[in-house]
Amino acid sequence: MGELVAVILAAGKGTRMKSALPKVLHEVGGKPMVQHVLDAARKAGCSRSVAIIGFGSEKVQTLLAGQAETVLQEEQLGTGHAVLQAQGMLEGHRGSVLVLCGDTPLVTEETLQQLCEAHASAGAAATVLTAVMPDPTGYGRVIRNAAGDVVKIVEQKDANADELAVNEINTGMYCFDSTSLFQALQQVNCQNQQGEYYLTDVIGILGGQGKRVWAYSTEDHEATLGINSRQQLAQAEKILRRRKVNELMVAGVTVMDPDSTFVDADVSVGADTVLYPFTWLEGKTIIGGNCTIGPNTRLTDVQVGEGSTVHFTYAHECVLAEGVTVGPYVHLRPHTKLQAGVKVGNFVEVKNSVVGPGSKLPHLSYIGDTDMGGGVNIGCGTITVNYDGKKKHRTTIEDEAFVGCNSNLVAPVTVGAGAYVAAGSTITKDIPASALGVARARQANIDGWAAKRK
Ligand code: UD1
Ligand code: CA
């Protein structure tokens, strides 16, 4: 079969989405549709991908930069015309071409591999991926002769009554011999109901040349679903999420309620972790084994080490080491690192800070731009005063320090190792190691004051 290259059609607007965003950039399962297609193609063995772009090309190109070569189709004159745009880029390519659409995010590497294997073992010039649909309306129909060979593909709008009755459809995915494909495309015209250059005509043309045209029919309907509307987008979202959660369960993760657990495609979760309902694991999140996550937790691009517990929490772009406990009602903001055994309790926000091993921030605190050592105790209501209205400043809290309740640490400031901050202090000067910093008015008691007031 030689080298395998993917050509991904992604120039269309997606009129029925009613969106300013190109259709293929709409996200499903946490990433743009076309990204799913590209990932499946790469995993199926494509060494190069060429994307045909048109509507919203700058935005599509930005996403694809470094992942796929792109070629602009200035006017969308049909799928055949679209593939033809890749000819220049594939000059000299003597292997196979996998033609895919950017709007089929459910396609799996397995399905693509099966298509390519069928193509290779048939020694075909073209192999079309087909599926038998209960309702084939809207799709191109696969027309076979009495011997069962594929003769042509007819679009819904061009089909006669007999052809419309066929329920084996063209999924829009194909494997072609590169040379045969581009030769046949030269002969495609636009004499059809839609006045478009149809890629599907290549099938009939190759057959007419006496070349072998093959069809591989997949059982996996879902994998071929094309997204044209927001309803289909929601349908795909459900399928992808269910697939991902199933994968996790097969790998040893307990998911208490798959219907209310939302895990993006690229997330990984270790065995014996338990996901409670209403947990969102997004982006490049990586959860270790033996963790308890949720309920009501959203983690976006977060790493969590083994044996940690995170509940009722929103965290993004953070790293949590092993054995940490977070929640309830915690917000962890970007560039936060919680080292092993850290405990962050209710109503605490941590931003751009490192919290050393075993430190405790149990209640009602804001810790921002802070370098905290290990074994630190942060009293209830501690606030790092990190912003002077113009600039952010850092706070340093060294190992084993003890910060009393309701203290303000006005940055830049350092609380030395083993030092104490008296409760209710507003600390503006560094506290040396092992010292006590007190910064509050001394208490005076006025005897008999209440009686005099009356
Ligand atoms: C196409 C097939 C049909 C098949 C169906 C499967 C043709 C003629 N028909 O129909 O047999 O059943 O897919 O979903 O191929 N595109 C471009 N440039 C263009 C035209 C289209 O890049 O000039 C892209 C679109 O953005 C889309 C893909 O090609 O990603 C398919 O085009 P679309 O118009 O949706 O084709 P269908 O009518 O669905
Ligand atoms: Ca389509």
Side-chain angles (χ1 to χ4, degrees):
M1 195 166 74
E3 192 198 14
L4 184 62
V5 173
V7 171
I8 301 173
L9 308 188
K13 177 170 191 265
T15 313
R16 278 171 287 172
M17 295 298 281
K18 307 247 167 64
S19 177
L21 193 68
K23 178 164 78 173
V24 298
L25 293 188
H26 281 262
E27 289 198 1
V28 57
K31 59 184 182 185
M33 289 194 224
V34 65
Q35 185 70 56
H36 288 274
V37 178
L38 198 60
D39 291 349
R42 201 187 48 241
K43 288 184 195 156
C46 290
S47 55
R48 280 171 77 188
S49 293
V50 178
I52 314 301
I53 60 175
F55 180 79
S57 58
E58 311 78 30
K59 286 182 185 154
V60 182
Q61 197 154 25
T62 305
L63 172 77
L64 297 178
Q67 305 192 73
E69 300 156 63
T70 53
V71 51
L72 189 65
Q73 183 193 23
E74 304 231 4
E75 263 186 294
Q76 280 82 63
L77 302 179
T79 49
H81 179 257
V83 173
L84 206 49
Q85 309 308 304
Q87 185 171 24
M89 287 204 165
L90 298 184
E91 207 141 9
H93 169 58
R94 288 288 165 270
S96 301
V97 178
L98 196 55
V99 175
L100 306 171
C101 293
D103 64 353
T104 57
L106 299 175
V107 66
T108 60
E109 67 176 287
E110 291 80 16
T111 300
L112 295 181
Q113 264 161 2
Q114 286 157 4
L115 170 63
C116 293
E117 279 160 21
H119 177 76
S121 60
T127 303
V128 53
L129 181 69
T130 73
V132 175
M133 291 283 184
D135 177 11
T137 310
Y139 288 101
R141 308 297 205 281
V142 177
I143 309 302
R144 295 173 182 265
N145 63 18
D149 302 323
V150 177
V151 180
K152 60 176 181 174
I153 294 171
V154 182
E155 291 306 293
Q156 164 95 20
K157 288 181 178 147
D158 303 295
N160 64 34
D162 284 348
E163 291 164 341
L164 287 175
V166 172
N167 60 1
E168 183 180 16
I169 60 97
N170 169 24
T171 63
M173 300 178 225
Y174 324 73
C175 194
F176 290 103
D177 164 59
S178 186
T179 313
S180 305
L181 168 65
F182 289 108
Q183 270 170 8
L185 275 174
Q186 305 298 335
Q187 296 177 38
V188 171
N189 61 43
C190 56
Q191 278 139 36
N192 52 54
Q193 283 299 319
Q194 305 187 78
E196 289 183 4
Y197 294 89
Y198 288 166
L199 173 61
T200 44
D201 284 355
V202 162
I203 299 297
I205 293 168
L206 290 172
Q209 292 172 350
K211 291 193 173 156
R212 187 160 209 196
V213 174
W214 202 245
Y216 174 73
S217 186
T218 177
E219 307 269 282
D220 189 1
H221 293 205
E222 275 182 2
T224 67
L225 186 75
I227 309 303
N228 295 312
S229 65
R230 305 263 183 175
Q231 287 90 330
Q232 287 172 323
L233 188 67
Q235 203 185 338
E237 185 81 35
K238 262 220 156 72
I239 295 169
L240 268 175
R241 302 254 179 232
R242 197 199 57 215
R243 220 192 246 171
K244 179 69 188 185
V245 163
N246 274 335
E247 242 173 61
L248 294 180
M249 292 191 288
V250 167
V253 176
T254 294
V255 181
M256 296 188 66
D257 179 21
D259 289 337
S260 65
T261 305
F262 307 87
V263 184
D264 283 357
D266 295 336
V267 168
S268 75
V269 182
D272 287 325
T273 283
V274 179
L275 303 182
Y276 277 74
F278 296 101
T279 290
W280 282 260
L281 302 179
E282 302 178 319
K284 307 256 179 276
T285 292
I286 301 172
I287 311 285
N290 288 303
C291 292
T292 302
I293 310 292
N296 291 19
T297 291
R298 182 179 187 196
L299 305 180
T300 309
D301 299 322
V302 172
Q303 289 178 38
V304 180
E306 293 270 321
S308 293
T309 297
V310 183
H311 57 152
F312 296 94
T313 290
Y314 176 37
H316 42 133
E317 294 172 60
C318 297
V319 178
L320 283 54
E322 327 71 75
V324 306
T325 306
V326 175
Y329 313 110
V330 168
H331 186 187
L332 301 178
R333 293 170 52 202
H335 312 299
T336 290
K337 270 194 184 147
L338 306 183
Q339 293 178 346
V342 163
K343 184 178 186 320
V344 179
N346 34 224
F347 306 104
V348 173
E349 173 179 339
V350 185
K351 185 211 85 172
N352 191 25
S353 297
V354 177
V355 179
S359 289
K360 294 187 170 66
L361 296 66
H363 357 250
L364 299 160
S365 286
Y366 170 63
I367 301 296
D369 304 305
T370 296
D371 301 297
M372 192 186 299
V376 169
N377 197 309
I378 298 292
C380 174
T382 299
I383 288 173
T384 54
V385 184
N386 60 329
Y387 186 48
D388 62 12
K390 286 189 183 124
K391 270 183 150 170
K392 301 277 167 67
H393 302 279
R394 292 198 75 85
T395 299
T396 303
I397 305 171
E398 294 177 352
D399 291 348
E400 307 293 331
F402 184 100
V403 180
C405 290
N406 205 33
S407 301
N408 299 310
L409 306 176
V410 182
V413 75
T414 295
V415 178
Y420 280 69
V421 174
S425 293
T426 293
I427 300 296
T428 54
K429 291 188 289 196
D430 291 352
I431 306 174
S434 305
L436 168 68
V438 192
R440 64 181 186 222
R442 222 169 245 289
Q443 180 171 334
N445 293 336
I446 303 172
D447 286 333
W449 184 88
K452 273 185 239 159
R453 187 167 181 253
K454 282 180 196 150

